[in-house]
Amino acid sequence: MRAKNYIKIYSPATIANMGPGFDSIGGAIDIWNEFEFLFQPEQCNTSKLKIEIKGEGKNNLPLDKSNLAYKAFTIPFKMLQLNIPNIYIKIKNNINLESGLGSSSSAISAGLLGANYYINKNHAKCFSKIKLLNIAKELEDHYDN
């Protein structure tokens, strides 16, 4: 598949309750979720959205538009008033859910980066890292992650 239609993102777990920096100092740790974004052509006869999850949460995370990675993915398109592409998202979750290791931040970051990559390659526009961070802040209750 051409790079234009595919991106793989590795997003680390985080710990944000480090010593005296409780909820203000964080760090990435060596546990990674993997997100594959396969962009389907508009004329493709497949559904606009398909999500596959392996690992943590495979039996209880949503596989529809309420999925956090997909919700984050759609925001840059909406902000730029662009059509959201047909997308197949393959997720391999290695970060334990609800463990304080930033599994939701991992999904949000990957969704935003996947969208930013697609928009840059197909529309020659993109958001800065600071802008993406500010967008993520709106979705994540624990901003320190």
Side-chain angles (χ1 to χ4, degrees):
M1 191 174 286
R2 295 187 337 249
K4 184 176 182 179
N5 296 322
Y6 169 84
I7 185 173
K8 187 169 190 175
I9 297 170
Y10 296 88
S11 185
T14 58
I15 295 177
N17 297 325
M18 299 175 74
F22 184 78
D23 282 345
S24 63
I25 298 173
I29 60 173
D30 196 16
I31 303 172
W32 300 80
N33 283 347
E34 300 172 22
F35 298 83
E36 292 182 68
F37 294 85
L38 295 95
F39 308 106
Q40 307 295 326
E42 287 297 320
Q43 64 274 20
C44 186
N45 290 330
T46 61
S47 170
K48 264 190 104 58
L49 172 64
K50 180 178 180 187
I51 300 174
E52 174 185 321
I53 299 174
K54 293 181 180 176
E56 292 292 322
K58 71 178 178 183
N59 295 321
N60 57 6
L61 289 175
L63 302 175
D64 59 16
K65 292 180 179 183
S66 66
N67 180 281
L68 191 54
Y70 179 77
K71 284 171 68 172
F73 177 81
T74 64
I75 291 172
F77 291 94
K78 291 175 182 175
M79 292 176 73
L80 294 172
Q81 299 179 344
L82 297 171
N83 290 330
I84 298 166
N86 295 336
I87 184 78
Y88 176 21
I89 305 172
K90 295 168 73 173
I91 303 169
K92 182 178 177 192
N93 283 330
N94 295 308
I95 302 170
N96 292 336
L97 303 179
E98 299 177 354
S99 64
L101 295 176
S103 61
S104 59
S105 294
S106 173
I108 291 167
S109 299
L112 290 172
L113 288 171
N116 207 41
Y117 173 86
Y118 180 90
I119 291 167
N120 186 35
K121 292 295 181 188
N122 292 280
H123 301 283
K125 300 176 183 179
C126 68
F127 291 97
S128 70
K129 290 177 185 176
I130 296 296
K131 181 65 176 173
L132 291 174
L133 188 61
N134 284 324
I135 296 168
K137 179 176 66 171
E138 299 301 317
L139 293 171
E140 176 57 55
D141 292 335
H142 302 283
Y143 185 55
D144 46 343
N145 284 326

